[in-house]
Amino acid sequence: MDTAAPSEERKLSTLRSRFGLQPNVPLDEAHRDLDHQELLWSRIRLALREPFAEFFGTFIMVLFGDGSVAQVLLSAGQKTSPGGNGSGEYQSISWGWGIGVMLGIYVAGDSGGFLNPAITFCFCLYRRLPWRRFPIYLLAQFLGGFCAAGIIYANYVAAINSFEGAGVRTVPPSPTATAGIFCTYPQAFLTKTNQFFSEFITATLLMFVIFALKDESNQGAMGKTGAGQFFPLALFFLIFGLGACFGYQTGYAINLARDFGPRLMSYAVGYGHEVWSAGDYYFWVPIVASFLGCTFGGFLYDAFIYTGPESPINTPWLGLKRILRPGVSSSRRVKGSEKANA
């Protein structure tokens, strides 16, 4: 009896479990027993399929988003452009980010299509996504944004040289700054409090609406399937709306992966220390505000609308008992499941 195959499957399941992934790979049944699944790269792909999906989903999102900013900024005022005044306007950026998010979610469907560490965090906190999955998803999302920004820079480097001058790289509020292609910078008149709440409000809206769209019991989210196959399209409208209504002051970063990753890339390609110090060291605001805003948005939805059992809001002491008395909470959940099965 050949025990090699079951042994390899156990190793694969063990490795995936260490990352908080489902032991069984999300794989089409028609593909599961094909010979090429035994190849080395196939086994690596099976072990890390969801993180790879998050990487490429975020990669696609930032390619379209940063690409739209680059085209609008670098072509501004050009009379030879098809429109006679550059190749796009501000709404083109909202379109670019909305389309990027939509296509990124389609790419990352098997992983959940989170594309944002703050959203991943909230699904761990409120929807019982395994916490062990959070670090590898965060890394994949960060690297996806970082690499996508590098591709955008390589594609537009000649245009950046033409716009700023060969070898010149500046950040806002310089009138010829191009650093805003890669990450967000606040308007100069904003205080730190203004900066924070601009990002906090957009992150709150983002998470609140995502939970509504994912709520299978919410008839407004298309009934028992949540938004289902229309979820990516719904996210397109959400991101477009956030950009159209809240993008002016801080650029609606709302995502560590789409802001910090490309910011680090811009630093690496020569934009200098100012990418960190601009806006009175604004760089940390999108990171902290996205996590706090998404957490608050998830709390609002679960506290006032969501009735499912996954949320800690729908447990004693608003979930604090899970933290303070985990053993008691676990035993009650086991007893409850046993009653349900009986």
Side-chain angles (χ1 to χ4, degrees):
M1 181 177 179
D2 183 10
T3 60
S7 176
E8 289 298 324
E9 289 181 5
R10 283 195 297 272
K11 289 180 181 178
L12 178 62
S13 298
T14 300
L15 177 60
R16 287 177 54 81
S17 297
R18 287 177 181 172
F19 290 120
L21 305 174
Q22 294 293 335
N24 294 323
V25 184
L27 189 64
D28 190 292
E29 287 300 322
H31 301 166
R32 190 172 296 276
D33 296 323
L34 297 179
D35 292 340
H36 70 263
Q37 303 297 4
E38 299 302 319
L39 300 175
L40 175 60
W41 178 249
S42 295
R43 294 201 301 272
I44 295 172
R45 180 176 58 209
L46 291 176
L48 298 172
R49 192 175 186 211
E50 294 94 321
F52 285 155
E54 286 293 318
F55 171 88
F56 281 106
T58 309
F59 182 85
I60 293 295
M61 175 185 71
V62 174
L63 273 183
F64 277 85
D66 281 359
S68 67
V69 179
Q71 179 162 291
V72 171
L73 175 64
L74 298 175
S75 69
Q78 290 186 359
K79 302 301 181 182
T80 57
S81 297
N85 187 27
S87 298
E89 52 191 18
Y90 177 76
Q91 291 290 31
S92 302
I93 297 173
S94 297
W95 278 97
W97 278 109
I99 291 171
V101 169
M102 179 181 69
L103 297 179
I105 292 173
Y106 279 123
V107 168
D110 281 339
S111 65
F114 298 103
L115 315 186
N116 183 333
I119 292 175
T120 310
F121 175 85
C122 286
F123 271 86
C124 292
L125 182 63
Y126 294 116
R127 293 296 181 269
R128 295 186 181 176
L129 187 73
W131 281 106
R132 281 183 295 175
R133 197 177 302 189
F134 178 71
I136 194 168
Y137 271 24
L138 186 153
L139 179 63
Q141 293 156 356
F142 164 77
L143 291 176
F146 179 80
C147 294
I151 297 297
I152 291 297
Y153 181 80
N155 184 60
Y156 281 101
V157 64
I160 292 172
N161 286 333
S162 175
F163 190 86
E164 287 213 79
V168 179
R169 300 292 182 265
T170 59
V171 306
S174 167
T176 60
T178 57
I181 291 172
F182 306 100
C183 53
T184 60
Y185 292 88
Q187 295 293 335
F189 56 80
L190 295 176
T191 67
K192 190 63 67 184
T193 301
N194 296 145
Q195 295 171 7
F196 180 86
F197 277 101
S198 179
E199 287 294 309
F200 181 86
I201 290 168
T202 50
T204 299
L205 286 169
L206 175 72
M207 197 69 246
F208 187 92
V209 175
I210 286 176
F211 270 180
L213 292 170
K214 283 289 189 179
D215 185 357
E216 296 183 357
S217 65
N218 185 346
Q219 295 300 314
M222 305 176 193
K224 293 184 177 180
T225 60
Q229 294 179 339
F230 291 100
F231 179 74
L233 180 62
L235 259 290
F236 160 77
F237 285 111
L238 173 58
I239 299 302
F240 184 94
L242 290 176
C245 302
F246 297 96
Y248 167 59
Q249 296 195 115
T250 58
Y252 72 114
I254 56 177
N255 186 343
L256 178 158
R258 90 69 140 193
D259 195 78
F260 184 77
R263 190 181 300 273
L264 184 60
M265 176 58 76
S266 69
Y267 175 76
V269 298
Y271 280 87
H273 180 263
E274 288 77 12
V275 303
W276 312 112
S277 61
D280 189 23
Y281 291 88
Y282 164 79
F283 78 92
W284 64 266
V285 172
I287 299 173
V288 177
S290 65
F291 276 91
L292 294 180
C294 283
T295 301
F296 185 60
F299 172 82
L300 287 178
Y301 188 81
D302 283 11
F304 293 98
I305 298 177
Y306 187 64
T307 56
E310 298 87 357
S311 175
I313 305 302
N314 297 330
T315 63
W317 306 355
L318 297 180
L320 290 177
K321 186 171 284 189
R322 287 186 187 176
I323 300 173
L324 300 176
R325 302 174 66 186
V328 175
S329 300
S330 298
S331 63
R332 287 182 177 177
R333 286 199 298 271
V334 170
K335 291 178 180 179
S337 65
E338 289 175 350
K339 289 180 180 179
N341 293 332

